[in-house]
Amino acid sequence: MEFNRRAFLKSSALAGVAVGLPVLNTAFFVDPAHAAEGKALNFMSAENLTGNWDPSSHTTLAQINLESFVFGYLTRAPMRPDKPDELVMELATEMKLIDEHTLEFTLREGVTFHDGKPFTAEDVKATYEYASQPDRPAAWYPGICEVEVVSDHVARIKTDKGGYPASLFWFLSAFLPIMSAKDVADPKMLSSRPNGTGAFKFARQEGNTTVLEAFDGFYLGKPTLPGINFSFVGDATTRTLALLNGEADLIERLEAEQVQTIEETGGFKLNKAVSVENKYLWFRCSKPPFNDPRVRKAAAHAIDRAVLLDILGVSGHASKAWISPVKFGYVDTPNYPEYNPEESQRLLAEAGFPKGEGLPELEYITSVGFYPKTKEYGEVITAMLQEQGFPVKLNVMEVAAWNERLYDRPGGGPGHMIDCGWSTGSPEPDLVLRTHFHSSSKRICGIDDKDLDAVLDKERNTLDPAARKAVIQNEVMPMLADKVPALSLFTSVFIHAMRDGLDGMYFYPNGMMDAAKSTLA
């Protein structure tokens, strides 16, 4: 019988899953007594929170998800595949571009923060001017900006001093939570508790559970749900069991086997959506050997991404770009690095490492419990790289330890490669492209490349949307395919599971949620 490398790697990975997955008697676990009218929603998050409630202090997805319950945004972006660039007005009722460097927002009247303070243009000014400073860790903003307060309910974002078009805030307005000017003026208050205009307000912290309560003064009316208990549970199987036995009403980040179990059990429903999140293998470009683009490309050509999709099942969607298909500017990149062992060997030899000889041991860091199947497909990627001569050692870490090692730092980030997704609640592509591949930010990979900087500056400063999309598709993506600071492995499919009695939830493609109109029976 002919040896089929792809089938062997896939079956080996899935065998590991089967060994680690307990056999469940679902009838034993399902307990309808926990479902009761008028009770708080119990949500189990796959990632931990940071403990700092300043929205500009982090890029932690779990905390961004929690902020979607607590804070308000000028607009919201549903990011449906058929309308990826649609915006819905929230704290703003209208926006218009005044000139190249001025974007005007008319604001909703009658909105209050959880502490009772009325929402005005002063809060937009405080939020945008504070969070756009270059020292803010989140780094979502394209640069510094100023906000002109025209009246209590008209604000103009001005970007002339930052040297970039104000139109970049068109999509970003859907992702930047609005803070109270009073809190921004008091950093200790800002970091000690969240205070927004959203449907739910912060009540207290109980260990790994953040307790939220319905906000009586919400501008759309008090939510039906009395509250939300937002808990960190890092193990996917534990989250699934909690849903089945009634401890949880809603869980996230499911794997294929857990989806099947829930579908076969009955009494539950699923929400599946192609997300805004791509999963990447990030190369540490600021230190050897991945400071050489030939070595990065050689590694990319060693990986058969189709095998990874087989392992992921319902949790993965094919992607051939560095942004998700629901992002503005997505294209199937013609020169995307595909599986090609011969080209991998040619590039290794050209870089001075024939068949991998002379390469140091390469640490590949991944997490377990947050993203689906990271250990399983990490082992497959390790085997594929080893097959081409890369001396790779896989380091599987729990989420908090992995988070600590994620970002670039002087001398290069820990390890040589690290697995991570990037999920942002806006169609704006620069939340990925400029954040990671421009030398002014280079969050994870640490790349500093003048050619990439130039083409990213060009797309950012192109005012016409159609022309900007063309630059992204025809210049930025092909250059990323040539430089390969990271390899986009696939686009995540976000899967939430919930009780049949939970209705009215809206799930954004980055994992954020809207429970303002939800009911739980």
Side-chain angles (χ1 to χ4, degrees), residues 282-446:
W282 302 91
F283 300 110
R284 301 296 197 188
C285 302
S286 57
K287 65 182 185 182
F290 290 121
N291 58 341
D292 187 333
R294 295 171 297 184
V295 180
R296 301 196 296 265
K297 286 188 78 173
H301 284 301
I303 297 170
D304 187 346
R305 291 177 291 115
V307 177
L308 310 186
L309 287 172
D310 286 342
I311 294 168
L312 284 157
V314 295
S315 300
H317 179 83
S319 175
K320 292 180 64 176
W322 282 262
I323 52 176
S324 159
V326 297
K327 283 277 192 183
F328 175 81
Y330 177 85
V331 66
D332 282 344
T333 310
N335 61 330
Y336 199 86
E338 300 290 357
Y339 176 62
N340 187 334
E342 292 77 17
E343 182 65 4
S344 179
Q345 289 300 316
R346 187 191 71 79
L347 288 163
L348 277 175
E350 184 180 303
F353 304 106
K355 298 181 179 179
E357 295 174 8
L359 285 171
E361 182 177 80
L362 303 172
E363 184 185 13
Y364 168 22
I365 300 172
T366 193
S367 63
V368 65
F370 178 32
Y371 301 112
K373 296 284 189 290
T374 45
K375 180 177 183 291
E376 290 79 12
Y377 75 69
E379 290 171 345
V380 169
I381 289 174
T382 299
M384 290 174 176
L385 290 169
Q386 289 172 345
E387 190 175 15
Q388 300 306 318
F390 288 89
V392 176
K393 179 181 179 181
L394 181 64
N395 186 358
V396 181
M397 313 186 82
E398 58 87 20
V399 174
W402 161 84
N403 247 325
E404 194 279 327
R405 289 161 176 79
L406 181 58
Y407 293 112
D408 184 52
R409 56 203 69 181
H416 300 86
M417 299 171 284
I418 190 164
D419 177 274
C420 183
W422 202 253
S423 183
T424 54
S426 165
E428 173 54 51
D430 271 358
L431 287 169
V432 178
L433 300 178
R434 196 169 186 88
T435 297
H436 291 294
F437 306 128
H438 194 278
S439 64
S440 62
S441 181
K442 57 183 182 181
R443 299 303 301 277
I444 297 176
C445 63

Side-chain angles (χ1 to χ4, degrees), residues 69-71 113-115 194-204 210-217 223 226-228:
F69 294 123
V70 174
F71 287 89
F113 284 91
H114 297 157
D115 65 358
N195 175 37
T197 60
F200 296 88
K201 64 180 182 179
F202 177 80
R204 61 191 178 276
T210 304
V211 180
L212 307 179
E213 295 176 350
F215 177 39
D216 291 348
I228 298 173

Side-chain angles (χ1 to χ4, degrees), residues 198-242:
F200 296 88
K201 64 180 182 179
F202 177 80
R204 61 191 178 276
Q205 191 71 31
E206 297 179 354
N208 282 334
T209 298
T210 304
V211 180
L212 307 179
E213 295 176 350
F215 177 39
D216 291 348
F218 184 52
Y219 75 96
L220 290 176
K222 183 178 179 179
T224 301
L225 290 175
I228 298 173
N229 298 319
F230 190 106
S231 302
F232 167 52
V233 178
D235 179 71
T237 299
T238 303
R239 293 194 298 274
T240 302
L241 293 175

Side-chain angles (χ1 to χ4, degrees), residues 13-31:
L14 293 179
V17 174
V19 169
L21 192 71
V23 178
L24 301 180
N25 177 356
T26 54
F28 174 80
F29 286 107
V30 176
D31 179 7

Side-chain angles (χ1 to χ4, degrees), residues 5-55:
R5 173 192 144 279
R6 182 181 174 199
F8 174 76
L9 288 172
K10 176 188 173 184
S11 62
S12 298
L14 293 179
V17 174
V19 169
L21 192 71
V23 178
L24 301 180
N25 177 356
T26 54
F28 174 80
F29 286 107
V30 176
D31 179 7
H34 281 273
E37 194 85 40
K39 82 179 188 73
L41 171 72
N42 292 322
F43 169 66
M44 290 191 173
S45 166
E47 187 183 24
N48 59 299
L49 305 177
T50 69
N52 185 334
W53 294 111
D54 176 353

Side-chain angles (χ1 to χ4, degrees), residues 65-119:
N65 293 343
L66 186 139
E67 287 167 1
S68 67
F69 294 123
V70 174
F71 287 89
Y73 304 75
L74 294 178
T75 66
R76 292 277 194 163
M79 291 182 288
R80 301 178 179 92
D82 57 332
K83 294 181 179 180
D85 55 357
E86 178 188 17
L87 291 179
V88 177
M89 295 294 111
E90 187 171 295
L91 294 182
T93 58
E94 182 184 0
M95 62 178 177
K96 60 182 177 181
L97 198 61
I98 303 297
D99 57 46
E100 179 182 350
H101 294 295
T102 308
L103 181 61
E104 181 179 281
F105 288 91
T106 301
L107 306 177
R108 191 176 301 278
E109 299 184 27
V111 177
T112 60
F113 284 91
H114 297 157
D115 65 358
K117 177 187 172 297
F119 162 67

